[in-house]
Amino acid sequence: MDKYKITITENGSVNIPSKVKMTIPEIANLFGIFYQTAKREVCTIEKSGIAGGDLSSPCKVEGKNIYSEYYGLEMIIALTFRLQSPNADILRRWIINAFRKCKVELR
């Protein structure tokens, strides 16, 4: 599943594949945070409706709730602006620079 994971090298280079599909442990590893922190923040973002998981892939059922096992780029971007870690900072700066390069005109 490595071809669907975002990676940040030791020198700060960011690699984002065309399709992102990451589990909570992979997300925790990406940001350099604890699993429990990643899971809590993913659940908070899902409950707020900002982003969700990939419900077309395997899911976990806990009570009345359905939790995705995989999360895409939308969730990773939401987490990037929510978390405080060195890798979150690298990814935030990469996203902002990529946005600036696109020269998107806002109306």
Side-chain angles (χ1 to χ4, degrees):
M1 202 53 101
D2 282 350
K3 67 179 181 175
Y4 298 118
K5 288 179 13 180
I6 295 172
T7 57
I8 300 173
T9 64
E10 289 180 11
N11 68 359
S13 292
V14 176
N15 178 36
I16 299 181
S18 58
K19 180 173 180 163
V20 175
K21 209 171 171 180
M22 297 177 70
T23 63
I24 291 178
E26 292 169 340
I27 292 169
N29 188 44
L30 171 68
F31 289 111
I33 59 175
F34 292 112
Y35 170 86
Q36 296 86 349
T37 303
K39 183 171 177 147
R40 181 185 67 234
E41 297 302 331
V42 165
C43 288
T44 300
I45 290 169
E46 282 185 311
K47 285 179 186 175
S48 72
I50 293 171
D54 181 2
L55 297 177
S56 66
S57 62
C59 297
K60 293 179 185 177
V61 178
E62 292 179 14
K64 293 182 180 180
N65 299 320
I66 300 173
Y67 297 103
S68 175
E69 287 192 21
Y70 294 98
Y71 297 90
L73 185 58
E74 189 175 66
M75 178 62 77
I76 304 302
I77 290 172
L79 286 166
T80 300
F81 287 92
R82 186 170 175 87
L83 297 171
Q84 293 292 326
S85 77
N87 281 358
D89 186 48
I90 290 168
L91 198 49
R92 264 193 303 275
R93 283 186 275 125
W94 187 92
I95 290 167
I96 290 168
N97 286 334
F99 184 76
R100 285 182 179 146
K101 287 179 186 175
C102 289
K103 298 181 182 179
V104 175
E105 185 178 319
L106 300 175
R107 296 176 194 202

